[in-house]
Amino acid sequence: MSKNSNTYWKTNLKYLAILLGIWFTVSFLFGIILAEYLNQFMIGGFPLGFWFAQQGSIYAFVILIFIYVYLMNKLDKKYDVDEI
Amino acid sequence: MSAQTWTYLLVGLTFLVYIIIAIVARAGTTKEFYVAGGGVNPIANGMATAADWMSAASFLSMSGLIAFMGFSGGQYLMGWTGGYVLLALLLAPYLRKFGKFTVPDFIGERYYSKNARLVALICALFVSFTYVVGQMKGVGVAFARFLNVPFDTGVYIGIGIVFFYAVLGGMKGITYTQVAQFCVLIFAFTVPAIFISLQMTGNPIPQIGLGSKGTDGVYLLEKLNLLSKDLGFDAYTSIDRGNLVNMFFITGALMFGTAGLPHVIVRFFTVPRVKDARISAGWALLFIAILYTTAPAVAVFARTNIINTLSNKSYAEVPQWFTNWENTGLLSFEDKNNDGKIQYVADAQLNELTIDQDIIVLANPEIASLPAWVIGLVVAGGLAAALSTAAGLLLVISTSISHDLLKNYLRPDISEKGELLAARVAIAVAVAAAGLAGLNPPGFVAQVVALAFGLAASSFFPAIILGIFDKRMNREGAMSGMIIGIVFTASYIIYFKPQLGGAGLPENFWWGISPEGIGTLGMILNFVIALVVSRLTSPPPIEVVELTERIRTPRGAENNTSPTH
């Protein structure tokens, strides 16, 4: 059980690292640090860096949470720690 | 019907709904009062969280702020949404499993210390109170401007309404009222945006309209960039290179601060299961994102409209709304070169038009000549935003006093009935105090709201995260981290805010970081100190290590609640 809950926690941490990596990339990286570089590309009428800073990062945040919920619900079931 | 009549009608109608909900959903136990019985549906909780979160500032001021900042305005958009990812992934599920009522509850038990609880309690009170005073002021301003009552009367009406449903209903009443308020405010924000997007781009979805071509076949953003440059401003979408470090830190401070604000965290104690806490954060952010992705569109529409309608136009022929807003003093024209025309340019010497950013959302329907009922709707929406946030904050204040201070610190033997009464008295006193402070806000209140995020980021956020993710974290580490983080952040803010009496000048900012962004650095400092100190002192007791292990898995959360279930 202890070994089991150890792998459960490690998998959780792996998910967190990946999802938070994306969280950092779309906002701090694409929306701020690399925004000037990205602004030379356009999607529709949006310069790309501007789009990430004011639209894209927010959409990504919402999607990230729902992916996390999906992954964790599956993980809870797999390790038999889910709620009734 | 005139805009005035519509406003009375819509505001009256929405208030009636809030009061009816408050009567139906009154609280009977402390558990209902603190966490709405812990049985709130996750989608409803998502809406309530969204209404709790989006204040008068989000609804009324943010679009205007962005309209005048351009690209850098993204710091508010990302900062006030990105924190929910941290909440959902790092805090909400574990705190729900922990299963008590408040943030000081967690800090006190995880760090096995009454003093830690007290420090957390004082921080929670300070953050919530400064925040709520601003909301009360917002209510007063909105009433004063649109219902033609004096500012004071506006604040009294606001106090009356919040008093009624917060004292009666506690968290239960507040939660269901907030669901209604969310619907009102999101409808009120998006309807004008949809109308204007259709007018300007032919596309009804503002988020897409923003990236579309205008009626003249030129992309809207491209046109605004050209208009701005013609008048001497920077291109709207261009990046202010010198400000990027500061933007990075402000975005961070707002995100980490959001994830550490007690009135947001407490919402995740109200759902039945850990699973629900996770998904509830997702719903909350989805609902918040509707407003936050519409706001930058509103900003661009308004800025373009203002330039098109006013720039180089004869003052004698300005539209009616211009005169209306001139009367409030929030819009002013000074004909410096006496040519009778409005010169709106970047050069302060030549510029003749001053626009307060707060009028952008309120004046937008008039600027775009939308029907009168839309104007009434916007007022009802602004009031819903201010009232819902105020109620959520007041609840945190009353819970802190009756639960954390009275029940867990001063008089542990108090009865359930006594505690519920104390909670009601505390919220009543808090409503009155916040209202009175809102009537006569000390000059520094607005400035202190900026403090709230920095303080939450540099104190609560690391303490909670480490309490969950680091089993070895002990009382000594967490407390020294919190205290040094907060003291550092507060000192920097006070030193560099002239409104707070500080002597610091912007050219001396560390790495160009303004007081709004320093919370990010304070947070890093907190983490480092907590980790170092905890490794040099004795490990936490075995029960606490077990508690930390227990909150890491969801099973058992439904039983892990107070005895009054």
Side-chain angles (χ1 to χ4, degrees):
Chain A
M1 179 61 203
S2 156
K3 194 166 186 304
N4 238 349
S5 63
N6 217 349
T7 30
Y8 168 82
W9 187 245
K10 285 226 168 89
T11 319
N12 177 19
L13 293 182
K14 192 182 78 191
Y15 290 160
L16 292 182
I18 297 170
L19 295 172
L20 290 176
I22 301 173
W23 164 82
F24 184 84
T25 306
V26 294
S27 52
F28 291 99
L29 225 48
F30 291 171
I32 301 175
I33 298 172
L34 299 177
E36 183 150 35
Y37 170 76
L38 292 175
N39 258 2
Q40 59 185 306
F41 308 105
M42 301 285 287
I43 42 167
F46 291 107
L48 194 56
F50 177 84
W51 183 78
F52 268 107
Q54 302 210 345
Q55 298 273 302
S57 55
I58 304 175
Y59 300 138
F61 295 154
V62 177
I63 296 167
L64 281 175
I65 299 183
F66 282 96
I67 292 176
Y68 168 76
V69 173
Y70 170 78
L71 289 174
M72 286 311 282
N73 285 348
K74 242 177 59 179
L75 192 68
D76 288 350
K77 274 216 177 71
K78 188 174 160 198
Y79 284 92
D80 194 32
V81 291
D82 57 332
E83 299 149 289
I84 310 102
Chain B
M1 272 198 289
S2 72
Q4 190 72 39
T5 324
W6 273 112
T7 305
Y8 279 117
L9 192 74
L10 289 170
V11 170
L13 205 68
T14 52
F15 276 30
L16 191 67
V17 172
Y18 306 153
I19 289 173
I20 292 172
I21 294 175
I23 295 173
V24 175
R26 355 179 244 287
T29 62
T30 49
K31 193 174 180 211
E32 284 186 348
F33 199 90
Y34 295 147
V35 294
V40 178
N41 172 288
I43 298 183
N45 189 49
M47 287 190 188
T49 311
D52 207 325
W53 181 234
M54 293 188 284
S55 59
S58 293
F59 190 94
L60 296 173
S61 310
M62 195 175 62
S63 298
L65 213 57
I66 299 167
F68 294 104
M69 286 176 81
F71 169 79
S72 305
Q75 69 195 29
Y76 298 113
L77 296 164
M78 292 187 284
W80 283 329
T81 53
Y84 278 84
V85 178
L86 301 172
L87 266 170
L89 272 57
L90 302 175
L91 298 165
Y94 308 108
L95 291 176
R96 176 61 196 87
K97 175 66 189 290
F98 170 69
K100 293 285 166 57
F101 298 139
T102 66
V103 174
D105 266 341
F106 179 77
I107 302 277
E109 287 199 27
R110 172 61 181 81
Y111 296 118
Y112 45 100
S113 157
K114 277 199 157 189
N115 292 330
R117 181 190 284 271
L118 195 67
V119 171
L121 165 68
I122 293 167
C123 295
L125 278 179
F126 179 76
V127 168
S128 305
F129 194 75
T130 49
Y131 222 103
V132 78
V133 172
Q135 302 302 317
M136 283 304 193
K137 197 182 165 209
V139 173
V141 171
F143 270 115
R145 210 170 297 158
F146 288 94
L147 303 181
N148 288 332
V149 296
F151 173 73
D152 293 11
T153 316
V155 175
Y156 289 128
I157 300 176
I159 295 178
I161 299 279
V162 178
F163 192 89
F164 188 77
Y165 72 73
V167 174
L168 198 65
M171 186 57 129
K172 198 174 165 204
I174 288 174
T175 301
Y176 294 107
T177 323
Q178 280 172 336
V179 171
Q181 284 162 335
F182 170 77
C183 299
V184 172
L185 83 88
I186 207 69
F187 188 67
F189 196 84
T190 48
V191 163
I194 290 170
F195 271 122
I196 298 171
S197 181
L198 255 170
Q199 262 179 17
M200 293 181 75
T201 68
N203 194 314
I205 302 167
Q207 289 85 342
I208 298 176
L210 176 59
S212 304
K213 289 176 178 165
T215 39
D216 53 359
V218 183
Y219 279 121
L220 211 57
L221 284 167
E222 203 182 321
K223 194 165 75 185
L224 181 55
N225 279 345
L226 286 176
L227 286 172
S228 307
K229 277 196 258 178
D230 283 348
L231 301 174
F233 298 100
D234 288 331
Y236 189 81
T237 59
S238 77
I239 284 142
D240 180 1
R241 246 180 254 168
N243 187 44
L244 276 189
V245 173
N246 191 28
M247 183 175 171
F248 186 97
F249 275 82
I250 293 180
T251 307
L254 298 179
M255 283 189 188
F256 299 117
T258 303
L261 283 176
H263 75 285
V264 178
I265 294 176
V266 72
R267 294 242 44 112
F268 298 98
F269 289 99
T270 63
V271 292
R273 295 169 303 177
V274 171
K275 227 160 110 173
D276 301 321
R278 291 182 192 135
I279 192 84
S280 181
W283 290 119
L285 184 59
L286 179 70
F287 297 135
I288 292 167
I290 300 174
L291 190 144
Y292 273 66
T293 54
T294 307
V298 171
V300 167
F301 299 154
R303 184 77 189 266
T304 311
N305 263 338
I306 285 176
I307 297 177
N308 280 339
T309 337
L310 300 180
S311 180
N312 258 328
K313 295 283 157 35
S314 156
Y315 179 64
E317 289 160 29
V318 291
Q320 180 61 38
W321 63 263
F322 190 97
T323 323
N324 291 347
W325 284 100
E326 258 187 318
N327 293 337
T328 65
L330 294 171
L331 186 74
S332 62
F333 167 68
E334 183 196 347
D335 198 359
K336 290 179 183 158
N337 60 359
N338 291 315
D339 66 350
K341 285 185 176 173
I342 301 170
Q343 263 86 39
Y344 175 52
V345 291
D347 187 339
Q349 300 291 318
L350 303 174
N351 181 40
E352 300 176 343
L353 183 67
T354 322
I355 307 165
D356 187 296
Q357 67 207 23
D358 282 0
I359 71 174
I360 291 291
V361 166
L362 291 172
N364 214 14
E366 296 170 87
I367 298 175
S369 10
L370 298 183
W373 62 268
V374 179
I375 298 164
L377 188 64
V378 170
V379 180
L383 287 169
L387 289 174
S388 58
T389 307
L393 289 160
L394 287 163
L395 190 83
V396 169
I397 296 174
S398 89
T399 312
S400 298
I401 292 172
S402 64
H403 180 71
D404 293 319
L405 189 67
L406 206 61
K407 170 93 181 164
N408 285 316
Y409 202 85
L410 299 176
R411 286 190 47 197
D413 57 336
I414 193 169
S415 71
E416 156 81 15
K417 253 188 158 171
E419 193 186 342
L420 186 60
L421 182 67
R424 289 210 157 106
V425 172
I427 209 165
V429 173
V431 175
L436 293 177
L439 277 181
N440 194 2
F444 67 97
V445 162
Q447 301 300 327
V448 184
V449 175
L451 258 161
F453 283 91
L455 296 186
S458 62
S459 60
F460 289 132
F461 182 72
I464 300 173
I465 295 289
L466 290 169
I468 298 163
F469 288 88
D470 182 16
K471 274 194 241 176
R472 179 66 177 72
M473 184 48 58
N474 60 9
R475 174 180 60 197
E476 292 77 9
M479 286 198 51
S480 41
M482 276 210 287
I483 292 169
I484 294 175
I486 256 203
V487 169
F488 165 77
T489 308
S491 319
Y492 189 94
I493 297 177
I494 293 167
Y495 182 71
F496 283 113
K497 278 259 179 214
Q499 298 89 337
L500 297 175
L505 296 167
E507 47 276 29
N508 298 328
F509 285 170
W510 298 5
W511 304 289
I513 304 170
S514 64
E516 286 77 17
I518 200 64
T520 308
L521 206 61
M523 176 201 72
I524 297 170
L525 193 67
N526 181 337
F527 270 117
V528 172
I529 287 176
L531 286 168
V532 171
V533 171
S534 68
R535 277 5 180 225
L536 298 175
T537 44
S538 53
I542 187 78
E543 318 82 82
V544 171
V545 178
E546 278 165 5
L547 167 77
T548 315
E549 264 168 20
R550 207 162 55 238
I551 59 176
R552 289 183 177 188
T553 51
R555 181 163 295 168
E558 61 278 18
N559 304 322
N560 200 3
T561 45
S562 92
T564 51
H565 191 62

